[in-house]
């Protein structure tokens, strides 16, 4: 998962016509660490259909504020610079919940890009 370390990098990533999922995280976040062990497998499973990027909320705080990210980890789907759907809450996220969100994001993306 590529790490986004500036607002400019974030803008480039979400401008892609490909479905891009921004994963908002922080090093100190225990719920973020909980997803770390299985996220590489999830990324591999979906790599042919979408791009995952990691956004460190401490390094790119202005992006988190602009995107109204209140709880982490948060997942937001973008394409062509537009937000399509988000999975944002303060609860710990399971692999199943994350994959369900990615499937939903793909459905929304495909409904737009027919």
């Amino acid at each position: 998962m590529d790490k986004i370390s500036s607002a400019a990098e974030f803008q480039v990533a979400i401008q892609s016509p490909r479905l891009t999922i921004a994963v908002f995280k922080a090093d100190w976040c225990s719920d973020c660490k909980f997803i770390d062990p299985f996220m590489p497998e999830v990324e591999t499973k979906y790599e042919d259909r979408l791009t995952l990027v990691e956004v460190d909320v401490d390094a790119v705080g202005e992006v988190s504020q602009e995107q109204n990210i209140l709880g982490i980890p948060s997942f937001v789907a973008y394409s062509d610079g537009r937000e399509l759907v988000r999975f944002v809450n303060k609860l710990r996220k399971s692999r199943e919940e994350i994959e369900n969100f990615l499937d939903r994001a793909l459905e929304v993306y495909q409904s737009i890009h027919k």
Side-chain angles (χ1 to χ4, degrees):
M1 196 175 338
D2 288 339
K3 292 191 181 208
I4 302 292
S5 57
S6 72
E9 283 181 9
F10 177 78
Q11 287 303 320
V12 168
I14 69 167
Q15 293 302 323
S16 171
R18 182 173 163 90
L19 178 60
T20 302
I21 311 294
V23 183
F24 292 86
K25 301 172 64 181
D27 290 340
W28 49 264
C29 165
S30 61
D31 288 343
C32 300
K33 290 187 188 321
F34 175 78
I35 70 171
D36 284 344
F38 60 78
M39 281 308 292
E41 290 175 22
V42 171
E43 186 172 15
T44 299
K45 179 177 176 180
Y46 287 87
E47 69 187 351
D48 59 331
R49 295 173 286 166
L50 56 83
T51 301
L52 287 158
V53 295
E54 182 177 321
V55 182
D56 184 322
V57 296
D58 291 330
V60 198
E62 68 275 14
V63 169
S64 302
Q65 288 179 337
E66 286 169 12
Q67 299 301 310
N68 201 27
I69 302 301
L70 303 174
I72 53 174
S74 290
F75 295 76
V76 184
Y78 301 91
S79 178
D80 295 317
R82 292 179 303 168
E83 180 180 323
L84 303 182
V85 64
R86 62 175 45 207
F87 181 25
V88 178
N89 60 39
K90 294 182 178 176
L91 304 175
R92 176 171 281 184
K93 290 155 185 70
S94 70
R95 179 176 180 159
E96 181 182 9
E97 289 171 320
I98 292 167
E99 289 187 3
N100 287 342
F101 168 73
L102 295 177
D103 291 339
R104 190 165 139 246
L106 282 162
E107 286 173 16
V108 171
Y109 175 77
Q110 288 162 354
S111 72
I112 294 169
H113 291 275
K114 284 187 174 176

